[in-house]
Amino acid sequence: VRLSAGTEGAEAQAGEADAEPEMELAVYLAQEDRLSVMGLEDFVRHAVAGEMPASFAPEALKAQAVAARSYTLWKSALFGGGGCSQRAGADVCTDSGHCMAYADEASLRQSWGEDYQENWAAVCRAVEETKGLVCAYDGEPIQALFHAVSGGRTEDAVAVFQNALPYLTSVESQGEEGAAEYRAELFFSGAELAQRLNAAFPGAGLDPAKLPQQLELLSRTDSGRVETLRLGARTATGRQLRQALGLNSTNFSL
């Protein structure tokens, strides 16, 4: 779907849209604690630079641009979204844990150094070549969630957010085996693991000498990720354990 700035919703356009004023967003710059009004495509450029290394393949950068644009419009008041709850009046924020990562020019110049011009050109090219393109469902921008790697299969949205979305169901994701974080292992001593889990889950009563008997996976989602597990006297979700131990995913075994 290609957006036109003159429409109130997402409509398919035949060919390139005529030159039109760029859609504007109210962006909450979380690091500076202030609101800023900027063009949609300008925001997408800085979001892509913040979310993905500029050295990635051109098609990956273009896919990231479409995902960033789609998610931003899904959230913004421009298309009936609720906006960003971090700041009244904001469509989206630059807190990566809440809305989306955002890298300003100063931070990019510092991190990219002498490669700044080349990297910025690659990001801008990806955004320009996808200008106005969004992923849509029933004519509206989708909640385009994205991640680095899925371990071979994505998760169904209902298993994470308790809200079923027809366009975010579990599917195979082939070709990830070479990704940096496709597989990882973390090692803990019994004493360290018991200490961390007892602190995160009061009342669990974990004993370093009895962990093999006290830790038990109870259920997995259809995609194979841990849904619930027993931690001594407590029951926890896979997401809670992931957070407590800093795991990459709920797709784990013990």
Side-chain angles (χ1 to χ4, degrees), residues 34-226:
R34 67 181 179 90
L35 276 175
S36 176
V37 176
M38 65 181 69
L40 170 62
E41 299 301 316
D42 187 32
F43 175 78
V44 171
R45 282 188 285 271
H46 288 278
V48 170
E51 292 283 0
M52 177 176 283
S55 60
F56 274 27
E59 292 303 314
L61 291 170
K62 288 161 70 173
Q64 183 65 45
V66 174
R69 188 181 295 110
S70 303
Y71 180 84
T72 300
L73 290 177
W74 167 82
K75 193 152 196 171
S76 75
L78 294 171
F79 281 76
C84 176
S85 60
Q86 293 275 60
R87 180 70 174 264
D91 291 303
V92 66
C93 77
T94 59
D95 179 352
S96 62
H98 191 264
C99 287
M100 203 172 305
Y102 178 97
D104 61 18
E105 181 180 350
S107 65
L108 290 175
R109 286 188 179 277
Q110 181 177 9
S111 61
W112 287 343
E114 61 183 17
D115 295 326
Y116 173 81
Q117 295 295 343
E118 180 181 355
N119 288 346
W120 184 242
V123 169
C124 291
R125 187 162 51 249
V127 175
E128 179 62 28
E129 291 181 6
T130 63
K131 185 176 181 180
L133 292 177
V134 300
C135 292
Y137 184 83
D138 278 350
E140 297 294 333
I142 68 168
Q143 185 179 2
L145 302 176
F146 48 86
H147 52 272
V149 62
S150 67
R153 173 170 283 277
T154 65
E155 181 62 287
D156 194 314
V158 71
V160 182
F161 305 109
Q162 290 73 55
N163 181 32
L165 294 171
Y167 51 82
L168 288 182
T169 58
S170 180
V171 296
E172 288 189 17
S173 182
Q174 300 178 348
E176 297 185 352
E177 294 79 7
E181 297 182 352
Y182 180 76
R183 187 183 303 276
E185 290 183 320
L186 291 179
F187 295 90
F188 302 93
S189 68
E192 181 186 5
L193 185 58
Q195 180 182 26
R196 290 183 64 164
L197 294 181
N198 282 330
F201 304 96
L206 296 173
D207 184 334
K210 300 178 181 179
L211 287 179
Q213 294 77 43
Q214 291 181 309
L215 302 181
E216 179 186 9
L217 299 182
L218 299 177
S219 64
R220 291 183 180 270
T221 66
D222 291 341
S223 73
R225 289 162 171 79
V226 175

